[in-house]
Amino acid sequence: MTTTPEPANLTPDQKKYGAHDIPSYLDPNNIGPYEIYLEQVERVTPYLGKLAYWVETLKRPKRILVVDVPVHLDDGSVAHFEGYRVQHNTSRGPAKGGVRYHQDVTLSEVMALSAWMTVKNAAVNLPYGGGKGGIRLDPRKYSQGELERVTRRYTSEIGLIIGPEKDIPAPDVNTGPQTMAWMMDTYSMNVGRTATGVVTGKPVSLGGSLGRGDATGRGVFVAGAEAMQKLGMPLEGARIAVQGFGNVGEAAARIFHEHGAKVVAIQDVTGTIYSEAGINPAVALSHLRATGSILGLGGTEELTREDFWGVPCDVLIPAALEKQITLANAGRIQARLIVEGANGPTIPAADDLLSEKGVTVVPDVLANAGGVTVSYFEWVQDFSSYFWTEDQINERLDRIMRDAFRSLWDVKERHGVTLRTAVYIVACTRVLEARALRGLYP
């Protein structure tokens, strides 16, 4: 029996993952955010037992749609934007995941985000697979009318693969209820009926769910509070540092503050502020809305972006974008606990360093699952046309997040691994069990 020799001139990434594991449409010398996900899958593979037979399923998105989004701008010119929709896996149900508008959106990023959605949905046992979408544009440079036209054209272009039982988009970075209203209306006009279940995160008046706005930040709080209890950290007076003061970071900061914790540092795109005495998130938000910046808030001092990572704190919440915690700043972090509100904020090498330092990380695929959980509630309510109260929503969300955290913590303790690895063990097992049971067609 002969063996096939390893191809010559492999890049380091190809040697790590296998030459056939990197899709041809990615640059093997610069894979991008999808590299983080691939490494996470490699790390969990030894724990999958016989299901490792199917592990290549996790490394390849099921479907990728790249679209051109041409629109008329207000000045009469025509602009073209890159749009993406990636369905990573649908073994356990329809694809589910947000749509982000950002000038740095890439295919690799959307692939990674869709893959993390697969893991996230399986981790909290929602009947979904993973999907994600994005448009490469800076929304700050365009009018409301231009953004509406972009949204409607993008929705029409990806309408081939989305639908209430196929793929359900939701808000993400720089999108929100209004964006989802435009997407729902556009899809509905194209299919000839009102289809409220095609997206989640809609306004309540269009079939949206109460509690959706704070859901991701609330989930961050619940997961963080559970971790603090496991670690013997008191919630009252705990010092919290938050990176990102958008929907997730602001809500998480506010709910921690309401439960007696002390927010000592906030960083967003406008700058970094610090106060040892504590910052009231509601006051900070009012200041941001009034001035366009968190800087200049009374009772706070301005720090450099780099100094944010070294502030004295007990809990750090990265709630901005991916690849924020790196080898360059992980060593400066003083927190005992990191709760990832953003997707993919910590690179694997920094993860290892933090583990060596004794820092516990509640990974994104668990910590920020509150958003998709309430999106699931919204989807269910749209199908039944029966809507729950906000108290019912929050009670069910808290229970799902608590139960998921405790079961995953038990897996962590049993295997002697990080919480991230424990989440991947459980989630990947669930996805691959479904893949194995369904088999391959034809």
Side-chain angles (χ1 to χ4, degrees):
M1 179 178 178
T2 59
T3 58
T4 302
E6 184 180 74
N9 302 319
L10 293 182
T11 68
D13 287 328
Q14 288 174 320
K15 289 178 180 177
K16 182 187 297 184
Y17 306 119
H20 63 289
D21 291 339
I22 301 174
S24 62
Y25 43 80
L26 294 180
D27 179 0
N29 297 305
N30 183 20
I31 297 175
Y34 200 64
E35 180 182 3
I36 298 175
Y37 168 74
L38 287 175
E39 185 165 343
Q40 290 165 341
V41 172
E42 287 293 318
R43 292 181 176 207
V44 78
T45 301
Y47 299 93
L48 298 178
K50 292 181 179 180
L51 289 172
Y53 174 82
W54 295 97
V55 75
E56 293 296 317
T57 301
L58 298 172
K59 299 178 183 178
R60 292 166 170 78
K62 174 182 176 63
R63 184 177 291 115
I64 295 174
L65 182 60
V66 182
V67 297
D68 176 41
V69 185
V71 296
H72 286 289
L73 299 183
D74 292 344
D75 64 6
S77 64
V78 175
H80 291 255
F81 303 97
E82 295 176 29
Y84 305 98
R85 188 68 189 177
V86 176
Q87 295 168 351
H88 175 258
N89 188 280
T90 57
S91 293
R92 301 180 68 253
K96 185 79 185 78
V99 176
R100 66 174 46 182
Y101 290 0
H102 196 275
Q103 61 273 18
D104 296 325
V105 163
T106 64
L107 176 58
S108 175
E109 179 186 51
V110 179
M111 286 172 59
L113 293 167
S114 70
W116 287 323
M117 285 301 303
T118 295
V119 176
K120 185 184 304 182
N121 286 318
V124 294
N125 211 18
L126 299 179
Y128 288 138
K132 208 76 176 186
I135 303 178
R136 191 176 174 88
L137 87 166
D138 183 348
R140 296 171 297 182
K141 296 181 178 180
Y142 299 93
S143 69
Q144 184 85 336
E146 289 169 332
L147 292 174
E148 179 178 354
R149 293 193 289 275
V150 166
T151 301
R152 291 185 181 276
R153 183 61 188 240
Y154 170 73
T155 305
S156 294
E157 296 291 347
I158 67 169
L160 297 167
I161 64 171
I162 65 172
E165 296 176 326
K166 295 195 294 185
D167 183 357
I168 307 104
D172 197 77
V173 174
N174 293 324
T175 58
Q178 179 62 77
T179 313
M180 295 303 106
W182 291 329
M183 292 191 74
M184 187 272 282
D185 181 70
T186 304
Y187 179 86
S188 296
M189 293 302 99
N190 286 336
V191 299
R193 59 182 173 80
T194 298
T196 56
V198 68
V199 297
T200 58
K202 304 179 296 295
V204 172
S205 58
L206 290 179
S209 178
L210 296 170
R212 179 60 182 87
D214 282 353
T216 307
R218 185 178 182 88
V220 169
F221 166 76
V222 173
E226 286 291 320
M228 294 174 76
Q229 186 177 51
K230 292 289 187 183
L231 296 171
M233 299 172 61
L235 180 57
E236 185 75 28
R239 299 167 299 172
I240 313 293
V242 180
Q243 187 208 30
F245 203 55
N247 174 261
V248 178
E250 184 276 327
R254 171 167 35 86
I255 298 170
F256 267 105
H257 174 79
E258 290 170 353
H259 284 79
K262 183 168 63 173
V263 178
V264 296
I266 299 174
Q267 181 180 91
D268 74 351
V269 294
T270 66
T272 306
I273 55 175
Y274 173 78
S275 172
E276 186 177 350
I279 302 166
N280 186 325
V283 175
L285 181 62
S286 295
H287 177 79
L288 174 62
R289 287 173 172 170
T291 67
S293 173
I294 61 172
L295 298 179
L297 179 65
T300 68
E301 60 178 296
E302 181 179 347
L303 300 180
T304 66
R305 304 199 71 80
E306 294 74 22
D307 284 344
F308 169 81
W309 301 106
V311 299
C313 65
D314 303 301
V315 181
L316 172 64
I317 303 174
L321 296 173
E322 60 271 3
K323 302 177 81 168
Q324 296 298 300
I325 300 178
T326 67
L327 288 176
N329 57 33
R332 301 184 61 189
I333 293 173
Q334 299 186 41
R336 286 183 58 196
L337 175 66
I338 295 175
V339 187
E340 294 182 335
N343 292 305
T346 309
I347 69 168
D351 228 3
D352 294 339
L353 177 57
L354 292 167
S355 181
E356 292 169 6
K357 290 178 57 180
V359 178
T360 297
V361 178
V362 182
D364 50 356
V365 287
L366 173 58
N368 66 27
V372 71
T373 300
V374 176
S375 279
Y376 169 61
F377 297 162
E378 180 177 332
W379 184 69
V380 169
Q381 291 171 90
D382 284 338
F383 271 116
S384 65
S385 297
Y386 181 80
F387 292 86
W388 309 335
T389 67
E390 188 163 2
D391 286 343
Q392 289 174 316
I393 294 287
N394 289 337
E395 188 275 329
R396 288 168 174 160
L397 168 62
D398 292 357
R399 184 177 69 249
I400 286 176
M401 291 295 298
R402 281 196 304 266
D403 290 349
F405 180 92
R406 291 169 185 175
S407 65
L408 292 165
W409 187 273
D410 288 344
V411 174
K412 165 193 176 298
E413 296 289 280
R414 185 163 66 249
H415 288 281
V417 295
T418 65
L419 190 53
R420 191 186 308 278
T421 299
V423 173
Y424 272 76
I425 290 172
V426 172
C428 293
T429 296
R430 286 173 175 165
V431 174
L432 296 183
E433 281 180 343
R435 173 73 282 168
L437 287 168
R438 291 180 62 163
L440 294 179
Y441 173 81

